[in-house]
Amino acid sequence: MSGAGSSTDLAATFRRLIERHGPMPVSRYMGENNARYYAARDPLGSAGDFTTAPEISQMFGEMVGLWLADLWNRSGRPDATYVELGPGRGTLARDALRAMASQGISPPVHLVEGSESLRKLQADTLSQAQFHDSIDTLPEDRPLYIVANEFLDALPIRQLVMTERGWRERMVALEDDRFVFAAGHSPMDDAVPEHHRSHPIGTVIETCPAAAATVEEIARRIDIQGGAALFIDYGYLTSQTGETLQAVRAHKKVGVFDAPGEMDLTALVDFATLGEMARRAGPAVNTATQGAWLSAMGIDLRAQALTQRAPDRTEELARARDRLIGPDQMGELFKVMALTPRGAPRGAGFG
Ligand code: SAH
């Protein structure tokens, strides 16, 4: 498992690379950190580094499952597949599939997961699951019902910074053996979206080519094959500037250079841009805050039903509900984005 050793190793590798080849792009720093970070551990839960919505309560996965089942039913119950990107411990899939089974739907399960150790956990929970390294190998001959919770935020972002000489890629450099940010040498003005070009010096913007490629391909697949996709993540619905890269370790924010390979690096998801791209690829796109969506999906009724069945869990269920939908907790910061094929029924819960 993890330990101080491997952290030192990746930090040492980064130092060597920078000494030899010069500063490295933030995207590479983030990508290699997360590949190392996820490869060898279960980052979730109280003994890990962070907690996600499905780990807070079964109600989250159940609402997702009911959302999928509703669309599935309204599309005439096709022969289709459940797909999840970055399924963590498999908790969301387990809860969603149970809720779908209650509606008479028990699809085959396809999981896109990069981490070997998480694949093992997922296979324990979902014995019949098939694994994929990327979305490219997902079935092409039937509708896909796709879920991704806190997946896009872990994909490497690129940072661009406005300097006196125009836009530059933001890099990780060394200063007396310490990692620091620095502006790259090549002009990057062409990589900056038109509406962001004329910002003051020092402005940082983020783009996420990997998230864009993922959402675009899924949008294309949904439009052609049918099905639906639900992306849930912390992020923003209207375009913004500023750096949002952050590191979390043992449930605390730490500096992004503190422990290469031993901390989770994430950035806010730009749903404004991703939604626009998805729409251009064909599908209808709907967005909402997590709080509004879960409320519209009936989380309060579900909490009541569970409470009636287990009165000793009353407080725990109320706390979980508040964490998921409270405006000062996950309710406002987290957003839900749904893709459905042009002309097909719209997903529930979007007002
Ligand atoms: N969805 C889960 C886990 C979120 S953590 C939950 O809500 O609890 C992020 C997940 O994405 C992990 O399963 C991680 O291994 C996976 N992941 C991160 N980057 C990935 C990549 N580039 N390719 C495939 N899986 C990735």
Side-chain angles (χ1 to χ4, degrees), residues 143-197:
L144 303 175
Y145 287 82
I146 304 175
V147 182
N149 186 61
E150 292 211 43
F151 173 74
L152 298 173
D153 69 351
L155 300 180
I157 54 148
R158 174 177 210 187
Q159 289 185 336
L160 297 149
V161 58
M162 182 62 172
T163 70
E164 279 161 5
R165 287 158 300 144
W167 289 96
R168 295 284 192 269
E169 178 115 36
R170 204 169 188 220
M171 317 288 279
V172 178
L174 276 178
E175 204 175 84
D176 306 329
D177 220 33
R178 279 183 315 118
F179 296 114
V180 292
F181 287 113
H185 292 304
S186 335
M188 278 295 160
D189 302 85
D190 291 347
V192 177
E194 198 85 49
H195 61 283
H196 277 320
R197 294 244 168 107

Side-chain angles (χ1 to χ4, degrees), residues 17-34:
L17 279 170
I18 294 170
E19 273 160 9
R20 245 181 247 164
H21 306 288
M24 68 168 75
V26 166
S27 56
R28 174 151 186 215
Y29 179 83
M30 181 177 179
E32 298 209 5
N33 177 86
N34 281 359

Side-chain angles (χ1 to χ4, degrees), residues 112-344:
V112 177
E113 175 57 63
S115 157
E116 277 308 320
S117 54
L118 287 176
R119 277 190 186 195
K120 287 204 188 85
L121 279 181
Q122 292 155 14
D124 287 345
T125 310
L126 308 153
S127 53
Q128 80 295 30
Q130 281 176 255
F131 288 98
H132 299 262
D133 292 329
S134 83
I135 56 176
D136 301 338
T137 52
L138 290 171
E140 290 182 354
D141 58 350
R142 65 201 103 137
L144 303 175
Y145 287 82
I146 304 175
V147 182
N149 186 61
E150 292 211 43
F151 173 74
L152 298 173
D153 69 351
L155 300 180
I157 54 148
R158 174 177 210 187
Q159 289 185 336
L160 297 149
V161 58
M162 182 62 172
T163 70
E164 279 161 5
R165 287 158 300 144
W167 289 96
R168 295 284 192 269
E169 178 115 36
R170 204 169 188 220
M171 317 288 279
V172 178
L174 276 178
E175 204 175 84
D176 306 329
D177 220 33
R178 279 183 315 118
F179 296 114
V180 292
F181 287 113
H185 292 304
S186 335
M188 278 295 160
D189 302 85
D190 291 347
V192 177
E194 198 85 49
H195 61 283
H196 277 320
R197 294 244 168 107
S198 55
H199 284 301
I201 288 169
T203 305
V204 172
I205 62 162
E206 296 176 338
T207 65
C208 190
T214 301
V215 170
E216 193 164 53
E217 171 63 8
I218 284 177
R220 204 182 60 80
R221 294 279 207 114
I222 297 291
D223 204 48
I224 297 170
Q225 293 175 226
L230 199 60
F231 294 95
I232 306 150
D233 234 307
Y234 80 139
Y236 44 95
L237 296 174
T238 49
S239 176
Q240 66 174 46
T241 62
E243 63 177 310
T244 72
L245 183 67
Q246 69 160 29
V248 166
R249 189 181 193 186
H251 300 273
K252 287 200 186 69
K253 261 195 185 184
V254 296
V256 297
F257 298 136
D258 280 7
E262 300 294 313
M263 55 191 181
D264 184 40
L265 283 179
T266 58
L268 288 181
V269 173
D270 178 0
F271 283 112
T273 300
L274 295 176
E276 197 42 50
M277 294 183 64
R279 226 171 254 124
R280 254 183 271 136
V285 178
N286 287 285
T287 52
T289 63
Q290 175 171 302
W293 184 76
L294 285 174
S295 298
M297 286 301 299
I299 192 171
D300 282 333
L301 278 176
R302 184 61 186 144
Q304 269 171 28
L306 289 170
T307 304
Q308 262 163 20
R309 229 183 288 161
D312 54 316
R313 293 180 60 204
T314 305
E315 265 179 48
E316 171 211 325
L317 285 160
R319 253 198 323 270
R321 172 210 171 268
D322 290 348
R323 271 182 86 179
L324 293 174
I325 71 172
D328 51 343
Q329 304 199 50
M330 296 178 84
E332 293 282 333
L333 179 59
F334 280 72
K335 311 294 191 300
V336 182
M337 177 171 84
L339 314 186
T340 43
R342 253 177 293 201

